PDB file of all heavy atoms in Angstrom:
ATOM      1  N   ASN A1473       0.826  -1.225   0.018  1.00 96.00           N
ATOM      2  CA  ASN A1473      -0.003  -0.020  -0.005  1.00 96.00           C
ATOM      3  C   ASN A1473       0.873   1.259   0.006  1.00 96.00           C
ATOM      4  O   ASN A1473       0.522   2.248   0.665  1.00 96.00           O
ATOM      5  CB  ASN A1473      -0.963   0.004   1.191  1.00 96.00           C
ATOM      6  CG  ASN A1473      -2.109   0.942   1.013  1.00 96.00           C
ATOM      7  OD1 ASN A1473      -2.452   1.344  -0.067  1.00 96.00           O
ATOM      8  ND2 ASN A1473      -2.704   1.343   2.166  1.00 96.00           N
ATOM      9  N   ASP A1474       2.008   1.217  -0.693  1.00 97.00           N
ATOM     10  CA  ASP A1474       2.914   2.286  -0.816  1.00 97.00           C
ATOM     11  C   ASP A1474       3.489   2.732   0.486  1.00 97.00           C
ATOM     12  O   ASP A1474       3.885   3.881   0.703  1.00 97.00           O
ATOM     13  CB  ASP A1474       2.284   3.514  -1.511  1.00 97.00           C
ATOM     14  CG  ASP A1474       2.068   3.250  -3.035  1.00 97.00           C
ATOM     15  OD1 ASP A1474       2.965   2.581  -3.601  1.00 97.00           O
ATOM     16  OD2 ASP A1474       1.083   3.746  -3.585  1.00 97.00           O
ATOM     17  N   LYS A1475       3.612   1.779   1.421  1.00 97.00           N
ATOM     18  CA  LYS A1475       4.197   2.056   2.768  1.00 97.00           C
ATOM     19  C   LYS A1475       5.489   1.340   2.912  1.00 97.00           C
ATOM     20  O   LYS A1475       5.478   0.134   3.204  1.00 97.00           O
ATOM     21  CB  LYS A1475       3.217   1.737   3.875  1.00 97.00           C
ATOM     22  CG  LYS A1475       1.935   2.523   3.846  1.00 97.00           C
ATOM     23  CD  LYS A1475       1.006   2.070   4.961  1.00 97.00           C
ATOM     24  CE  LYS A1475      -0.266   2.854   4.962  1.00 97.00           C
ATOM     25  NZ  LYS A1475      -1.225   2.403   6.042  1.00 97.00           N
ATOM     26  N   LYS A1476       6.592   2.005   2.708  1.00 97.00           N
ATOM     27  CA  LYS A1476       7.881   1.328   2.702  1.00 97.00           C
ATOM     28  C   LYS A1476       8.268   0.839   4.109  1.00 97.00           C
ATOM     29  O   LYS A1476       9.005  -0.089   4.258  1.00 97.00           O
ATOM     30  CB  LYS A1476       8.998   2.237   2.269  1.00 97.00           C
ATOM     31  CG  LYS A1476       9.312   3.452   3.054  1.00 97.00           C
ATOM     32  CD  LYS A1476      10.449   4.256   2.404  1.00 97.00           C
ATOM     33  CE  LYS A1476      10.773   5.488   3.209  1.00 97.00           C
ATOM     34  NZ  LYS A1476      11.886   6.257   2.552  1.00 97.00           N
ATOM     35  N   LYS A1477       7.589   1.385   5.188  1.00 97.00           N
ATOM     36  CA  LYS A1477       7.858   0.933   6.504  1.00 97.00           C
ATOM     37  C   LYS A1477       7.291  -0.464   6.738  1.00 97.00           C
ATOM     38  O   LYS A1477       7.687  -1.143   7.704  1.00 97.00           O
ATOM     39  CB  LYS A1477       7.198   1.883   7.548  1.00 97.00           C
ATOM     40  CG  LYS A1477       5.692   1.820   7.589  1.00 97.00           C
ATOM     41  CD  LYS A1477       5.141   2.775   8.657  1.00 97.00           C
ATOM     42  CE  LYS A1477       3.634   2.658   8.818  1.00 97.00           C
ATOM     43  NZ  LYS A1477       3.193   1.314   9.277  1.00 97.00           N
ATOM     44  N   ASN A1478       6.408  -0.914   5.850  1.00 97.00           N
ATOM     45  CA  ASN A1478       5.839  -2.232   6.013  1.00 97.00           C
ATOM     46  C   ASN A1478       6.551  -3.346   5.167  1.00 97.00           C
ATOM     47  O   ASN A1478       6.029  -4.425   4.940  1.00 97.00           O
ATOM     48  CB  ASN A1478       4.358  -2.219   5.636  1.00 97.00           C
ATOM     49  CG  ASN A1478       3.518  -1.536   6.734  1.00 97.00           C
ATOM     50  OD1 ASN A1478       4.063  -1.167   7.801  1.00 97.00           O
ATOM     51  ND2 ASN A1478       2.275  -1.335   6.492  1.00 97.00           N
ATOM     52  N   VAL A1479       7.772  -3.000   4.745  1.00 98.00           N
ATOM     53  CA  VAL A1479       8.588  -3.932   3.949  1.00 98.00           C
ATOM     54  C   VAL A1479       9.752  -4.421   4.769  1.00 98.00           C
ATOM     55  O   VAL A1479      10.397  -3.581   5.464  1.00 98.00           O
ATOM     56  CB  VAL A1479       9.059  -3.326   2.623  1.00 98.00           C
ATOM     57  CG1 VAL A1479      10.055  -4.219   1.918  1.00 98.00           C
ATOM     58  CG2 VAL A1479       7.894  -2.977   1.710  1.00 98.00           C
ATOM     59  N   ILE A1480      10.054  -5.684   4.764  1.00 98.00           N
ATOM     60  CA  ILE A1480      11.226  -6.246   5.475  1.00 98.00           C
ATOM     61  C   ILE A1480      12.051  -7.022   4.446  1.00 98.00           C
ATOM     62  O   ILE A1480      11.557  -7.937   3.762  1.00 98.00           O
ATOM     63  CB  ILE A1480      10.811  -7.191   6.611  1.00 98.00           C
ATOM     64  CG1 ILE A1480      10.066  -6.417   7.697  1.00 98.00           C
ATOM     65  CG2 ILE A1480      12.027  -7.891   7.207  1.00 98.00           C
ATOM     66  CD1 ILE A1480       9.541  -7.312   8.846  1.00 98.00           C
ATOM     67  N   VAL A1481      13.288  -6.639   4.312  1.00 98.00           N
ATOM     68  CA  VAL A1481      14.208  -7.373   3.435  1.00 98.00           C
ATOM     69  C   VAL A1481      15.096  -8.292   4.376  1.00 98.00           C
ATOM     70  O   VAL A1481      15.583  -7.826   5.392  1.00 98.00           O
ATOM     71  CB  VAL A1481      15.163  -6.409   2.711  1.00 98.00           C
ATOM     72  CG1 VAL A1481      16.277  -7.197   1.995  1.00 98.00           C
ATOM     73  CG2 VAL A1481      14.353  -5.562   1.704  1.00 98.00           C
ATOM     74  N   VAL A1482      15.156  -9.564   3.986  1.00 98.00           N
ATOM     75  CA  VAL A1482      15.914 -10.519   4.774  1.00 98.00           C
ATOM     76  C   VAL A1482      17.199 -10.791   4.014  1.00 98.00           C
ATOM     77  O   VAL A1482      17.201 -11.004   2.730  1.00 98.00           O
ATOM     78  CB  VAL A1482      15.122 -11.855   4.935  1.00 98.00           C
ATOM     79  CG1 VAL A1482      15.861 -12.851   5.792  1.00 98.00           C
ATOM     80  CG2 VAL A1482      13.748 -11.506   5.580  1.00 98.00           C
ATOM     81  N   SER A1483      18.332 -10.843   4.673  1.00 98.00           N
ATOM     82  CA  SER A1483      19.636 -11.049   4.058  1.00 98.00           C
ATOM     83  C   SER A1483      19.704 -12.452   3.449  1.00 98.00           C
ATOM     84  O   SER A1483      18.970 -13.373   3.835  1.00 98.00           O
ATOM     85  CB  SER A1483      20.754 -10.861   5.011  1.00 98.00           C
ATOM     86  OG  SER A1483      20.789 -11.922   5.969  1.00 98.00           O
ATOM     87  N   ILE A1484      20.615 -12.648   2.519  1.00 98.00           N
ATOM     88  CA  ILE A1484      20.757 -13.937   1.812  1.00 98.00           C
ATOM     89  C   ILE A1484      21.533 -14.898   2.685  1.00 98.00           C
ATOM     90  O   ILE A1484      22.638 -14.580   3.155  1.00 98.00           O
ATOM     91  CB  ILE A1484      21.551 -13.748   0.490  1.00 98.00           C
ATOM     92  CG1 ILE A1484      20.818 -12.705  -0.423  1.00 98.00           C
ATOM     93  CG2 ILE A1484      21.718 -15.076  -0.231  1.00 98.00           C
ATOM     94  CD1 ILE A1484      21.610 -12.305  -1.662  1.00 98.00           C
ATOM     95  N   PRO A1485      21.041 -16.090   2.929  1.00 98.00           N
ATOM     96  CA  PRO A1485      21.806 -17.108   3.667  1.00 98.00           C
ATOM     97  C   PRO A1485      23.050 -17.501   2.932  1.00 98.00           C
ATOM     98  O   PRO A1485      23.172 -17.293   1.704  1.00 98.00           O
ATOM     99  CB  PRO A1485      20.791 -18.303   3.733  1.00 98.00           C
ATOM    100  CG  PRO A1485      19.463 -17.682   3.616  1.00 98.00           C
ATOM    101  CD  PRO A1485      19.650 -16.524   2.669  1.00 98.00           C
ATOM    102  N   ASP A1486      24.016 -18.050   3.693  1.00 98.00           N
ATOM    103  CA  ASP A1486      25.296 -18.433   3.141  1.00 98.00           C
ATOM    104  C   ASP A1486      25.378 -20.001   2.997  1.00 98.00           C
ATOM    105  O   ASP A1486      25.598 -20.672   4.018  1.00 98.00           O
ATOM    106  CB  ASP A1486      26.470 -17.946   3.981  1.00 98.00           C
ATOM    107  CG  ASP A1486      27.834 -18.091   3.274  1.00 98.00           C
ATOM    108  OD1 ASP A1486      27.881 -18.842   2.300  1.00 98.00           O
ATOM    109  OD2 ASP A1486      28.807 -17.601   3.778  1.00 98.00           O
ATOM    110  N   TYR A1487      25.149 -20.482   1.801  1.00 98.00           N
ATOM    111  CA  TYR A1487      25.152 -21.953   1.613  1.00 98.00           C
ATOM    112  C   TYR A1487      26.539 -22.531   1.600  1.00 98.00           C
ATOM    113  O   TYR A1487      26.666 -23.740   1.462  1.00 98.00           O
ATOM    114  CB  TYR A1487      24.403 -22.347   0.352  1.00 98.00           C
ATOM    115  CG  TYR A1487      25.015 -21.918  -0.933  1.00 98.00           C
ATOM    116  CD1 TYR A1487      25.873 -22.765  -1.642  1.00 98.00           C
ATOM    117  CD2 TYR A1487      24.775 -20.645  -1.529  1.00 98.00           C
ATOM    118  CE1 TYR A1487      26.422 -22.403  -2.874  1.00 98.00           C
ATOM    119  CE2 TYR A1487      25.336 -20.306  -2.727  1.00 98.00           C
ATOM    120  CZ  TYR A1487      26.180 -21.184  -3.406  1.00 98.00           C
ATOM    121  OH  TYR A1487      26.783 -20.795  -4.565  1.00 98.00           O
ATOM    122  N   ALA A1488      27.547 -21.686   1.702  1.00 98.00           N
ATOM    123  CA  ALA A1488      28.927 -22.247   1.870  1.00 98.00           C
ATOM    124  C   ALA A1488      29.067 -23.129   3.111  1.00 98.00           C
ATOM    125  O   ALA A1488      29.813 -24.069   3.141  1.00 98.00           O
ATOM    126  CB  ALA A1488      29.957 -21.137   1.924  1.00 98.00           C
ATOM    127  N   PHE A1489      28.246 -22.805   4.138  1.00 98.00           N
ATOM    128  CA  PHE A1489      28.343 -23.512   5.366  1.00 98.00           C
ATOM    129  C   PHE A1489      27.325 -24.663   5.438  1.00 98.00           C
ATOM    130  O   PHE A1489      26.527 -24.779   6.310  1.00 98.00           O
ATOM    131  CB  PHE A1489      28.119 -22.514   6.539  1.00 98.00           C
ATOM    132  CG  PHE A1489      29.254 -21.587   6.716  1.00 98.00           C
ATOM    133  CD1 PHE A1489      29.368 -20.436   5.907  1.00 98.00           C
ATOM    134  CD2 PHE A1489      30.275 -21.820   7.642  1.00 98.00           C
ATOM    135  CE1 PHE A1489      30.415 -19.560   6.018  1.00 98.00           C
ATOM    136  CE2 PHE A1489      31.358 -20.959   7.794  1.00 98.00           C
ATOM    137  CZ  PHE A1489      31.442 -19.851   6.987  1.00 98.00           C
ATOM    138  N   THR A1490      27.345 -25.480   4.348  1.00 98.00           N
ATOM    139  CA  THR A1490      26.496 -26.644   4.219  1.00 98.00           C
ATOM    140  C   THR A1490      27.372 -27.761   3.611  1.00 98.00           C
ATOM    141  O   THR A1490      28.442 -27.470   3.051  1.00 98.00           O
ATOM    142  CB  THR A1490      25.277 -26.437   3.287  1.00 98.00           C
ATOM    143  OG1 THR A1490      25.787 -26.205   1.929  1.00 98.00           O
ATOM    144  CG2 THR A1490      24.463 -25.239   3.768  1.00 98.00           C
ATOM    145  N   PRO A1491      26.982 -29.007   3.695  1.00 98.00           N
ATOM    146  CA  PRO A1491      27.736 -30.061   3.065  1.00 98.00           C
ATOM    147  C   PRO A1491      27.917 -29.797   1.574  1.00 98.00           C
ATOM    148  O   PRO A1491      28.948 -30.112   1.007  1.00 98.00           O
ATOM    149  CB  PRO A1491      26.905 -31.273   3.259  1.00 98.00           C
ATOM    150  CG  PRO A1491      26.201 -31.031   4.604  1.00 98.00           C
ATOM    151  CD  PRO A1491      25.876 -29.560   4.556  1.00 98.00           C
ATOM    152  N   PHE A1492      26.890 -29.186   0.917  1.00 98.00           N
ATOM    153  CA  PHE A1492      27.044 -28.830  -0.530  1.00 98.00           C
ATOM    154  C   PHE A1492      28.107 -27.770  -0.720  1.00 98.00           C
ATOM    155  O   PHE A1492      28.928 -27.888  -1.650  1.00 98.00           O
ATOM    156  CB  PHE A1492      25.694 -28.321  -1.014  1.00 98.00           C
ATOM    157  CG  PHE A1492      25.713 -27.958  -2.488  1.00 98.00           C
ATOM    158  CD1 PHE A1492      25.395 -28.885  -3.477  1.00 98.00           C
ATOM    159  CD2 PHE A1492      25.973 -26.697  -2.864  1.00 98.00           C
ATOM    160  CE1 PHE A1492      25.431 -28.543  -4.792  1.00 98.00           C
ATOM    161  CE2 PHE A1492      25.984 -26.285  -4.181  1.00 98.00           C
ATOM    162  CZ  PHE A1492      25.741 -27.193  -5.213  1.00 98.00           C
ATOM    163  N   GLY A1493      28.115 -26.750   0.106  1.00 97.00           N
ATOM    164  CA  GLY A1493      29.020 -25.647  -0.099  1.00 97.00           C
ATOM    165  C   GLY A1493      30.475 -25.925   0.393  1.00 97.00           C
ATOM    166  O   GLY A1493      31.403 -25.294  -0.082  1.00 97.00           O
ATOM    167  N   ARG A1494      30.614 -26.904   1.272  1.00 97.00           N
ATOM    168  CA  ARG A1494      31.967 -27.347   1.709  1.00 97.00           C
ATOM    169  C   ARG A1494      32.866 -26.267   2.220  1.00 97.00           C
ATOM    170  O   ARG A1494      34.051 -26.241   2.027  1.00 97.00           O
ATOM    171  CB  ARG A1494      32.645 -28.100   0.624  1.00 97.00           C
ATOM    172  CG  ARG A1494      31.862 -29.374   0.142  1.00 97.00           C
ATOM    173  CD  ARG A1494      32.661 -30.096  -0.971  1.00 97.00           C
ATOM    174  NE  ARG A1494      31.979 -31.257  -1.442  1.00 97.00           N
ATOM    175  CZ  ARG A1494      32.391 -32.109  -2.387  1.00 97.00           C
ATOM    176  NH1 ARG A1494      33.525 -31.865  -2.995  1.00 97.00           N
ATOM    177  NH2 ARG A1494      31.709 -33.161  -2.712  1.00 97.00           N
ATOM    178  N   GLY A1495      32.266 -25.229   2.853  1.00 97.00           N
ATOM    179  CA  GLY A1495      33.043 -24.160   3.461  1.00 97.00           C
ATOM    180  C   GLY A1495      33.729 -23.248   2.508  1.00 97.00           C
ATOM    181  O   GLY A1495      34.734 -22.613   2.814  1.00 97.00           O
ATOM    182  N   SER A1496      33.219 -23.193   1.295  1.00 97.00           N
ATOM    183  CA  SER A1496      33.900 -22.352   0.221  1.00 97.00           C
ATOM    184  C   SER A1496      33.994 -20.910   0.598  1.00 97.00           C
ATOM    185  O   SER A1496      32.894 -20.211   0.757  1.00 97.00           O
ATOM    186  CB  SER A1496      33.122 -22.519  -1.073  1.00 97.00           C
ATOM    187  OG  SER A1496      33.550 -21.577  -2.011  1.00 97.00           O
ATOM    188  N   ALA A1497      35.214 -20.373   0.730  1.00 98.00           N
ATOM    189  CA  ALA A1497      35.417 -19.008   1.055  1.00 98.00           C
ATOM    190  C   ALA A1497      34.951 -18.076  -0.039  1.00 98.00           C
ATOM    191  O   ALA A1497      34.462 -16.971   0.212  1.00 98.00           O
ATOM    192  CB  ALA A1497      36.879 -18.745   1.377  1.00 98.00           C
ATOM    193  N   SER A1498      35.042 -18.529  -1.287  1.00 98.00           N
ATOM    194  CA  SER A1498      34.622 -17.691  -2.451  1.00 98.00           C
ATOM    195  C   SER A1498      33.134 -17.489  -2.481  1.00 98.00           C
ATOM    196  O   SER A1498      32.654 -16.400  -2.781  1.00 98.00           O
ATOM    197  CB  SER A1498      35.098 -18.333  -3.773  1.00 98.00           C
ATOM    198  OG  SER A1498      34.489 -19.599  -3.985  1.00 98.00           O
ATOM    199  N   ILE A1499      32.352 -18.540  -2.072  1.00 98.00           N
ATOM    200  CA  ILE A1499      30.881 -18.350  -1.988  1.00 98.00           C
ATOM    201  C   ILE A1499      30.572 -17.299  -0.942  1.00 98.00           C
ATOM    202  O   ILE A1499      29.745 -16.385  -1.199  1.00 98.00           O
ATOM    203  CB  ILE A1499      30.216 -19.752  -1.654  1.00 98.00           C
ATOM    204  CG1 ILE A1499      30.340 -20.689  -2.809  1.00 98.00           C
ATOM    205  CG2 ILE A1499      28.725 -19.487  -1.296  1.00 98.00           C
ATOM    206  CD1 ILE A1499      29.799 -22.069  -2.557  1.00 98.00           C
ATOM    207  N   SER A1500      31.216 -17.398   0.204  1.00 98.00           N
ATOM    208  CA  SER A1500      30.925 -16.478   1.272  1.00 98.00           C
ATOM    209  C   SER A1500      31.260 -15.011   0.843  1.00 98.00           C
ATOM    210  O   SER A1500      30.512 -14.092   1.160  1.00 98.00           O
ATOM    211  CB  SER A1500      31.662 -16.862   2.534  1.00 98.00           C
ATOM    212  OG  SER A1500      31.268 -18.063   3.017  1.00 98.00           O
ATOM    213  N   THR A1501      32.368 -14.837   0.179  1.00 98.00           N
ATOM    214  CA  THR A1501      32.767 -13.516  -0.276  1.00 98.00           C
ATOM    215  C   THR A1501      31.780 -12.941  -1.220  1.00 98.00           C
ATOM    216  O   THR A1501      31.449 -11.759  -1.156  1.00 98.00           O
ATOM    217  CB  THR A1501      34.158 -13.605  -0.936  1.00 98.00           C
ATOM    218  OG1 THR A1501      35.101 -14.083  -0.015  1.00 98.00           O
ATOM    219  CG2 THR A1501      34.569 -12.249  -1.511  1.00 98.00           C
ATOM    220  N   GLU A1502      31.254 -13.770  -2.165  1.00 98.00           N
ATOM    221  CA  GLU A1502      30.281 -13.295  -3.120  1.00 98.00           C
ATOM    222  C   GLU A1502      28.958 -13.011  -2.441  1.00 98.00           C
ATOM    223  O   GLU A1502      28.319 -11.969  -2.744  1.00 98.00           O
ATOM    224  CB  GLU A1502      30.162 -14.355  -4.233  1.00 98.00           C
ATOM    225  CG  GLU A1502      31.369 -14.424  -5.126  1.00 98.00           C
ATOM    226  CD  GLU A1502      31.273 -15.506  -6.086  1.00 98.00           C
ATOM    227  OE1 GLU A1502      30.259 -16.275  -6.186  1.00 98.00           O
ATOM    228  OE2 GLU A1502      32.320 -15.839  -6.811  1.00 98.00           O
ATOM    229  N   ILE A1503      28.538 -13.853  -1.544  1.00 98.00           N
ATOM    230  CA  ILE A1503      27.293 -13.598  -0.767  1.00 98.00           C
ATOM    231  C   ILE A1503      27.397 -12.265  -0.049  1.00 98.00           C
ATOM    232  O   ILE A1503      26.413 -11.518   0.039  1.00 98.00           O
ATOM    233  CB  ILE A1503      26.987 -14.770   0.203  1.00 98.00           C
ATOM    234  CG1 ILE A1503      26.651 -16.051  -0.612  1.00 98.00           C
ATOM    235  CG2 ILE A1503      25.784 -14.371   1.106  1.00 98.00           C
ATOM    236  CD1 ILE A1503      25.364 -16.003  -1.398  1.00 98.00           C
ATOM    237  N   ASP A1504      28.553 -12.006   0.528  1.00 98.00           N
ATOM    238  CA  ASP A1504      28.784 -10.757   1.307  1.00 98.00           C
ATOM    239  C   ASP A1504      28.525  -9.584   0.395  1.00 98.00           C
ATOM    240  O   ASP A1504      28.006  -8.538   0.831  1.00 98.00           O
ATOM    241  CB  ASP A1504      30.197 -10.744   1.847  1.00 98.00           C
ATOM    242  CG  ASP A1504      30.305 -11.571   3.183  1.00 98.00           C
ATOM    243  OD1 ASP A1504      29.245 -11.893   3.767  1.00 98.00           O
ATOM    244  OD2 ASP A1504      31.432 -11.871   3.568  1.00 98.00           O
ATOM    245  N   LYS A1505      28.989  -9.662  -0.859  1.00 98.00           N
ATOM    246  CA  LYS A1505      28.868  -8.537  -1.820  1.00 98.00           C
ATOM    247  C   LYS A1505      27.383  -8.219  -2.076  1.00 98.00           C
ATOM    248  O   LYS A1505      26.969  -7.026  -2.068  1.00 98.00           O
ATOM    249  CB  LYS A1505      29.588  -8.831  -3.063  1.00 98.00           C
ATOM    250  CG  LYS A1505      31.119  -8.838  -2.971  1.00 98.00           C
ATOM    251  CD  LYS A1505      31.772  -9.149  -4.264  1.00 98.00           C
ATOM    252  CE  LYS A1505      33.288  -9.218  -4.142  1.00 98.00           C
ATOM    253  NZ  LYS A1505      33.962  -9.525  -5.397  1.00 98.00           N
ATOM    254  N   TYR A1506      26.626  -9.263  -2.196  1.00 98.00           N
ATOM    255  CA  TYR A1506      25.174  -9.082  -2.472  1.00 98.00           C
ATOM    256  C   TYR A1506      24.507  -8.487  -1.273  1.00 98.00           C
ATOM    257  O   TYR A1506      23.718  -7.598  -1.367  1.00 98.00           O
ATOM    258  CB  TYR A1506      24.511 -10.440  -2.829  1.00 98.00           C
ATOM    259  CG  TYR A1506      24.742 -10.821  -4.270  1.00 98.00           C
ATOM    260  CD1 TYR A1506      25.896 -11.499  -4.690  1.00 98.00           C
ATOM    261  CD2 TYR A1506      23.771 -10.538  -5.250  1.00 98.00           C
ATOM    262  CE1 TYR A1506      26.093 -11.880  -6.006  1.00 98.00           C
ATOM    263  CE2 TYR A1506      23.925 -10.933  -6.557  1.00 98.00           C
ATOM    264  CZ  TYR A1506      25.136 -11.577  -6.970  1.00 98.00           C
ATOM    265  OH  TYR A1506      25.320 -11.885  -8.293  1.00 98.00           O
ATOM    266  N   ASN A1507      24.822  -9.052  -0.103  1.00 98.00           N
ATOM    267  CA  ASN A1507      24.208  -8.581   1.142  1.00 98.00           C
ATOM    268  C   ASN A1507      24.607  -7.119   1.447  1.00 98.00           C
ATOM    269  O   ASN A1507      23.804  -6.366   1.978  1.00 98.00           O
ATOM    270  CB  ASN A1507      24.516  -9.466   2.307  1.00 98.00           C
ATOM    271  CG  ASN A1507      23.660 -10.699   2.294  1.00 98.00           C
ATOM    272  OD1 ASN A1507      22.497 -10.689   1.874  1.00 98.00           O
ATOM    273  ND2 ASN A1507      24.224 -11.844   2.825  1.00 98.00           N
ATOM    274  N   GLU A1508      25.855  -6.800   1.186  1.00 98.00           N
ATOM    275  CA  GLU A1508      26.348  -5.436   1.450  1.00 98.00           C
ATOM    276  C   GLU A1508      25.542  -4.419   0.571  1.00 98.00           C
ATOM    277  O   GLU A1508      25.152  -3.377   1.102  1.00 98.00           O
ATOM    278  CB  GLU A1508      27.799  -5.319   1.158  1.00 98.00           C
ATOM    279  CG  GLU A1508      28.415  -4.001   1.461  1.00 98.00           C
ATOM    280  CD  GLU A1508      29.874  -3.887   1.205  1.00 98.00           C
ATOM    281  OE1 GLU A1508      30.477  -4.874   0.654  1.00 98.00           O
ATOM    282  OE2 GLU A1508      30.458  -2.850   1.535  1.00 98.00           O
ATOM    283  N   PHE A1509      25.361  -4.750  -0.666  1.00 98.00           N
ATOM    284  CA  PHE A1509      24.635  -3.859  -1.532  1.00 98.00           C
ATOM    285  C   PHE A1509      23.152  -3.737  -1.015  1.00 98.00           C
ATOM    286  O   PHE A1509      22.648  -2.602  -0.895  1.00 98.00           O
ATOM    287  CB  PHE A1509      24.617  -4.375  -2.980  1.00 98.00           C
ATOM    288  CG  PHE A1509      23.700  -3.547  -3.861  1.00 98.00           C
ATOM    289  CD1 PHE A1509      24.169  -2.353  -4.407  1.00 98.00           C
ATOM    290  CD2 PHE A1509      22.360  -3.922  -4.136  1.00 98.00           C
ATOM    291  CE1 PHE A1509      23.364  -1.540  -5.226  1.00 98.00           C
ATOM    292  CE2 PHE A1509      21.519  -3.137  -4.939  1.00 98.00           C
ATOM    293  CZ  PHE A1509      22.037  -1.954  -5.477  1.00 98.00           C
ATOM    294  N   ALA A1510      22.499  -4.833  -0.729  1.00 98.00           N
ATOM    295  CA  ALA A1510      21.143  -4.810  -0.275  1.00 98.00           C
ATOM    296  C   ALA A1510      21.014  -4.022   1.039  1.00 98.00           C
ATOM    297  O   ALA A1510      20.112  -3.187   1.165  1.00 98.00           O
ATOM    298  CB  ALA A1510      20.591  -6.213  -0.065  1.00 98.00           C
ATOM    299  N   LYS A1511      21.879  -4.274   1.973  1.00 98.00           N
ATOM    300  CA  LYS A1511      21.876  -3.606   3.277  1.00 98.00           C
ATOM    301  C   LYS A1511      22.043  -2.054   3.045  1.00 98.00           C
ATOM    302  O   LYS A1511      21.274  -1.271   3.615  1.00 98.00           O
ATOM    303  CB  LYS A1511      22.928  -4.113   4.188  1.00 98.00           C
ATOM    304  CG  LYS A1511      22.973  -3.415   5.556  1.00 98.00           C
ATOM    305  CD  LYS A1511      24.066  -3.916   6.408  1.00 98.00           C
ATOM    306  CE  LYS A1511      24.129  -3.208   7.787  1.00 98.00           C
ATOM    307  NZ  LYS A1511      25.180  -3.731   8.672  1.00 98.00           N
TER     308      LYS A1511
END
């Protein structure tokens, strides 16, 4: 209803810290860039 106060943006989870991601530092670095821009 055109009320920006009623919007919540949630940061992107970091899938590097999963068995699939295997602790990849590069994934975390890239996720940080996205979250930094959004924040």
Side-chain angles (χ1 to χ4, degrees):
N1473 198 21
D1474 286 327
K1475 296 178 180 179
K1476 66 180 180 180
K1477 71 178 185 64
N1478 287 355
V1479 174
I1480 296 177
V1481 173
V1482 183
S1483 70
I1484 302 169
D1486 188 351
Y1487 69 92
F1489 291 81
T1490 66
F1492 179 89
R1494 300 181 179 180
S1496 169
S1498 62
I1499 291 174
S1500 296
T1501 298
E1502 291 172 4
I1503 294 292
D1504 280 343
K1505 290 179 181 178
Y1506 280 84
N1507 280 329
E1508 182 179 8
F1509 174 82
K1511 180 182 179 181

